[in-house]
Amino acid sequence: MLPADSPADLPDFTAERTAADLDSVLKQSFGHADFRPGQREIVERSLGGEDILAIVPTGGGKSLCYQLPAILRKGVTIVVSPLIALMQDQVDSLKANGISATFLNSTLDGQESFNRIQAILRGEISLLYVAPERLLSEGFFDLLDRVREDVGIAGLAVDEAHCVSSWGHDFRPEYRQLRLVRQRYPDIPVSALTATATDRVRQDIVRQLALRSPFVHIASFRRHNLYYEVRPKEKKSTYREILARVRQGGSGIIYCMSRRQVEELAAKLVADKVSALPYHAGLNGDTRSENQTRFIRDDVQVMVATVAFGMGIDKPDVRFVIHYDLPKNIESYYQESGRAGRDGEDSECVLYYSAGDVGKVEWLIQQGSNEDEQRVARQQLRQISDYAESTECRNTVQLRYFGEDFPGNCGKCDNCCDPKPIEDWTIEAMKFLSCVARTKERFGTKHLIDVLRGSKAQNVLKRGHDKLSTYGIGKDRTADEWKMLARSLLHQGLVSETTDGFPILKLNALSWEVMKKQRSVEIAVDPKRKAIALDDDRPDSTVMGQALFQELRTLRKRIATEKSVPPYVIFADSTLRLMAQKQPTTLEAMAQISGVGAFKLDEYGDAFVGAIRSYCETNANDGVDATNLGRTQLQTWEMLQQGWDIERIARERDLKETTVLSHLAQLVEAGKVVDIAPYIESGVRSRIEAAIDRVQSQKLKPIFEALEGTVSYGEIRLVCAARSAQPQDPNEPDDLQF
Ligand code: ADP
Ligand code: ZN
């Protein structure tokens, strides 16, 4: 904010500005090189005094739309935000950029509130965050009057503006009072921002806040940096896949349906040396908020949670969101998975799906008493299971739900990147549909499959269905395969389903075409479980950058801990990654990195430049060529990440175990593998370590001889590699395992 008595050479920014001015403020104060789509126009119009309605998906960069105008205009900008927990983070992030901001809410004592109010009245604050209930509290309008008098009120920004609408999912009656601000200060421009898309909510916001022909910006809800995938949920493989993903590093959330499931999965991960914590409504409030803070501060890598987790958190660097169970509906899935990658960095969203889970949810729905609710819940369940089973682009299906017409081919989902094989199942479809006809269109899938597979179940025998011509003609397919066909037929509209409580299959015109052989049936078949591919689009040279990146993260964590702020407040992951790639060794070069604004350069530039310099020096001399990993070592790495042990890798690849161990040693040297404990018996390891100490050398042969040939060269090599690798900062989370 410009002080009220600013000299003439610092004019009020409501005047017209050139594009270059805004660009330089963007870089200076926020460290960003370019505006995201929509941001510039919003900022310009806001500076011009217009009301704004911005509908932007999570992570789209809403905050900047009111923060940038706030620092350019005279007076305080009042920001209304519903979540007290987030205010602290927002204010920390602003301060980390040298922008003066503060908040007033019920967590502060009288003295602290007083001090903050004094600072505001002295004109030291650009952005004031308040909870909506604060607006109703006694004397608040008097305070605003004084602020207006002394330093001016630049604008009102209403974050999460959908809370004003009872049509939204998060209605807050206090938000309705915001209207009073507009009535009292009609000349102050209002910006309303939300990530909720429906038209009704949008209209409600305009009406409730009395916006004056606002400039409306509606961004696409497409999240470009998220990769969406649906994988079959199977007892054993699913856990192994999750473990492999977790070990690739990065913060992640795993959602489960029940508290019990949360506890079990968290415990299992912990037993596998993953730093994970549970979060669900059954934990007491203190534990919940402590676990949440530890996640936000990167003290713990993975949060295993029910959907109770996430509403109040705003961690921008969540790298994966895994749904271990089916979400309630597509909108919930969009919101929950959307907690990944708010910082715009590539992140993954994986949904584990099994037809059995659908059955479980159906059962739960049936337990409800209200018929209307049951109907809605069933429809939502159908939509989300359609999403899971669809072979269409995941983005197309999701965005269709929000009324957007997305053409597909996103290049960022399993169906676009890895289409399921299509098979001709016309004969099976004819058998199935005939069975529907023979049983007089009065049964659901389960019974039909029993008949097809020749079951001796009471329900089949007592109806005489064992006498039908279709009895037992489907023994060649498993019940699961028949279910897959049934779902696909429904999906393709080749059979219909009644929705009056019991899902009974009915034939339609298309069914008859199939039965008369006028139409063939193709279905997408789940391929055999495929390995999660190693992300190796990146050239091997980034292995080097990777090690530096981890060092910079460690430095960031140390500074964050000292300052008691979340690490991302210091620098975003993307900024650290750029540093690791470009390796700036001077402050001038550092200033060019996106995410490094003037204030942060001052504050942290030396520390980070120092770390990069010393990294470059060490690595120029120590002869470890970390970039030297070849295909074969990377293949071993890929298999390790899937949880395979040395013996299995050796067997599958027809290699000697000692060869695989030497790959592992090279991976350790390259910094890809940090913890070797899972791969070597602790007894063997300590004997080798003792021998190294005894012979005072890391040459393999003397160690081998000292141990009289009782351990292999591969094992010795591995232990030596682990000993020469950098010792880990004990404060760093386990996510650096690979
Ligand atoms: P939202 O409130 O819409 O969910 P935020 O305002 O928290 O999103 O912004 C999400 C992330 O995007 C933040 O890490 C922010 O620094 C980053 N960001 C915002 N605008 C830009 C920009 N123009 N260039 C680069 N990063 C940006
Ligand atoms: Zn796609």
Side-chain angles (χ1 to χ4, degrees), residues 392-396 406 408-417:
E392 231 179 325
C393 169
R394 306 282 178 203
N395 274 297
T396 303
F406 180 74
N409 241 326
C410 71
K412 280 277 195 183
C413 79
D414 52 350
N415 283 341
C416 290
C417 299

Side-chain angles (χ1 to χ4, degrees), residues 690-707:
I692 296 174
D693 292 333
R694 243 180 300 135
V695 305
Q696 293 280 316
S697 154
Q698 291 225 8
K699 291 219 170 71
L700 303 188
K701 193 144 179 264
I703 301 169
F704 184 75
E705 283 166 358
L707 290 166

Side-chain angles (χ1 to χ4, degrees), residues 89-104:
D89 274 4
Q90 292 262 9
V91 167
D92 285 344
S93 291
L94 285 163
K95 284 186 176 162
N97 273 319
I99 298 166
S100 61
T102 192
F103 63 83
L104 290 175

Side-chain angles (χ1 to χ4, degrees), residues 26 32 34-36 39 56-64 316 342-343:
L26 182 68
H32 304 318
D34 306 291
F35 282 100
R36 294 220 178 121
Q39 281 179 334
V56 178
T58 303
K62 281 185 289 295
S63 325
L64 190 110
R342 296 182 64 131
D343 55 7

